[in-house]
Amino acid sequence: MNKEKDILLKEGKMLPVMEHFYTLQGEGAHTGKAAYFIRLGGCDVGCHWCDVKESWDPDLHPVMDTIEIAETAAKHCKTIVLTGGEPLMWNLDILTSKLKELGCSIHIETSGAYPMSGQLDWITLSPKKTGLPKEEIYQKANELKVIVFNNHDLTFAQEQAAKVSENCKLYLQSEWSKRNEMYPKITDFILEHPEWQASVQTHKYLNIP
């Protein structure tokens, strides 16, 4: 059974789903919009400040039929957000094809550390120093969202911004536990570099998923 499951996972016919839920997008360009989130298990990028470390081990999460999860999501909303974990660890072709068939717009939140798969309408690239994005992903990103945990992350943000397209939106977002320290610095940085915008985890203030 494990061998059969591994084949189905590799083909993208089944996926490890940590959770799936209907809520408001809390971050970036689509903040405040209704969206159905599909959080896939599995990530080896290893950010020490990650707020969903329980997503890292895919074996901890139930494996679901891909068509079933697509149909469930589409019943609630036509804006779907694929997140994780690192969703690009998995073959997203079947999931996104079915979502498209059901009339959905598909967003993804990714570190970019794995090759692209699937049909995606909005790519949020959130690069991590521990596992830099694949070069081909930079030019496909619709928004670049850099998490700011320390002062050097502002330098890292500029380095990453130099690699994306000129149409890519640029966001700086404080790591949640450092928000009181880092948002004043982010504000000063944006006033000096107005091509950037601030992103805030509004869902945490609203106390929603």
Side-chain angles (χ1 to χ4, degrees), residues 58-198:
D59 293 333
L60 298 179
H61 308 294
V63 173
M64 295 185 64
D65 179 84
T66 299
I67 300 300
E68 181 181 324
I69 186 62
E71 291 175 342
T72 298
K75 287 176 184 176
H76 289 82
C77 186
K78 298 305 181 186
T79 298
I80 311 298
V81 179
L82 307 180
T83 187
E86 173 45 67
L88 287 180
M89 282 185 69
W90 308 102
N91 183 341
L92 301 178
D93 292 343
I94 293 174
L95 176 62
T96 57
S97 178
K98 184 62 179 180
L99 288 169
K100 278 292 175 189
E101 180 185 313
L102 296 169
C104 295
S105 176
I106 305 163
H107 300 198
I108 193 169
E109 299 180 352
T110 177
S111 68
Y114 283 82
M116 296 289 293
S117 64
Q119 302 174 52
L120 304 168
D121 298 289
W122 187 268
I123 298 171
T124 299
L125 177 61
S126 186
K128 307 300 188 295
K129 298 173 185 175
T130 48
L132 292 173
K134 300 288 185 185
E135 286 298 323
E136 66 269 18
I137 292 180
Y138 285 107
Q139 290 297 309
K140 297 177 181 178
N142 299 100
E143 64 179 348
L144 175 72
K145 183 177 68 183
V146 177
I147 308 303
V148 181
F149 183 79
N150 55 41
N151 292 337
H152 182 264
D153 289 330
L154 296 172
T155 301
F156 177 67
Q158 289 288 66
E159 293 169 352
Q160 295 299 293
K163 298 186 175 187
V164 298
S165 76
E166 61 181 15
N167 297 320
C168 184
K169 295 179 178 292
L170 306 178
Y171 288 96
L172 295 171
Q173 178 175 296
S174 175
E175 192 275 330
W176 181 249
S177 71
K178 305 274 280 189
R179 61 193 183 281
N180 292 333
E181 175 187 350
M182 299 313 302
Y183 271 120
K185 296 180 180 181
I186 288 172
T187 299
D188 289 343
F189 183 89
I190 293 174
L191 291 175
E192 293 182 15
H193 305 88
E195 67 273 19
W196 288 89
Q197 295 176 244

